[in-house]
Amino acid sequence: MAQARRGRPSTGVREAVLKATEEVLGDAGLALSTKEIARRAGVAESSIFYHFGDRLGLLQAVIALHLPAFADATAVLGEGDLPANNDPTAAPDTHAPAEHDPTADLTALLRGLERFYRGIMPILGALQSDAQLRALLAERGGEIGPHLALGAVADALRARQSAGRLPAALDPTAAALVLVGAAYQRALHGHLLGEAADRLLPPVETVARTLAPAFAQDLAPDGTVG
């Protein structure tokens, strides 16, 4: 078990608490105990509620630490041959890179989303196992929750579709649900089964290749890539 840090830090209380929270969540069998977090961070338990409001606010702040990984994952959807400033009405940039291969784009997206969900899996586990936290989440009325990641991917797909780089028939929200669901399942299996997950699940490239026809810009009448 990690040793408690002696004395309350004069600065960086938030940082110390966030670090201690990830430690607690990463230790098997430890629930989200603010007492234990305060002990490890070397702060008064009351300071946790002062800085984060409640335990759900604390988890929200920890998830925020992983958002750069999420942004990196979804950035691939904004790459390619978009006109300047992402304005579909602007003149095309002749120096823009060629349109990306859908399979390569989807592989990069799925890998990035899987890394993001691997990082926050202990947080999701705490939410799922704690009735009080689930009640707080429900009370927030959608202010926070897993649907936000789904919505962000759907928005990125919608922007790509508006730029003419995805089929008009594609439903961005449904497509986002498939992509996020696949990445989450891979992350969950990896979290629970470790290296065995790679033997039990199809490679991410296979998943991407299977989904690619639905995301291809040019589709033949029979649905195949043109």
Side-chain angles (χ1 to χ4, degrees):
M1 179 177 291
Q3 296 296 314
R5 301 174 181 86
R6 294 184 177 276
R8 176 171 179 166
S10 57
T11 59
V13 173
R14 283 180 60 91
E15 291 76 10
V17 169
L18 291 173
K19 184 175 186 298
T21 301
E22 292 216 273
E23 289 177 358
V24 168
L25 290 172
D27 284 349
L30 283 179
L32 188 66
S33 165
T34 52
K35 284 184 170 55
E36 175 62 18
I37 292 168
R39 186 189 74 81
R40 293 196 185 201
V43 303
E45 186 180 9
S46 59
S47 66
I48 296 176
F49 298 100
Y50 173 80
H51 284 284
F52 302 100
D54 55 27
R55 292 191 304 147
L56 187 60
L58 175 59
L59 286 184
Q60 187 177 9
V62 175
I63 288 177
L65 298 177
H66 296 270
L67 289 181
F70 180 83
D72 288 345
T74 56
V76 66
L77 295 176
E79 296 174 354
D81 57 346
L82 277 174
N85 300 319
N86 294 336
D87 180 4
T89 65
D93 182 359
T94 57
H95 300 291
E99 185 177 351
H100 288 190
D101 170 31
T103 298
D105 282 355
L106 291 175
T107 298
L109 175 64
L110 289 169
R111 287 193 185 282
L113 289 175
E114 182 180 347
R115 283 193 296 270
F116 168 71
Y117 280 111
R118 283 276 193 117
I120 68 169
M121 195 59 66
I123 303 170
L124 298 177
L127 281 169
Q128 293 168 1
S129 64
D130 192 311
Q132 184 184 52
L133 285 172
R134 293 198 307 273
L136 285 172
L137 186 64
E139 288 174 7
R140 298 290 168 88
E143 176 186 343
I144 61 173
H147 62 287
L148 296 181
L150 179 66
V153 174
D155 287 345
L157 290 172
R158 194 171 290 111
R160 190 169 176 135
Q161 186 180 55
S162 296
R165 295 172 56 212
L166 285 177
L170 184 77
D171 184 311
T173 302
L177 183 61
V178 171
L179 293 169
V180 170
Y184 174 79
Q185 282 295 320
R186 288 187 57 83
L188 178 62
H189 279 70
H191 180 70
L192 295 177
L193 302 176
E195 293 182 359
D198 290 332
R199 301 194 303 271
L200 298 172
L201 297 177
V204 67
E205 295 86 356
T206 300
V207 177
R209 188 166 55 251
T210 301
L211 296 176
F215 291 82
Q217 186 174 10
D218 299 318
L219 296 178
D222 62 357
T224 60
V225 180

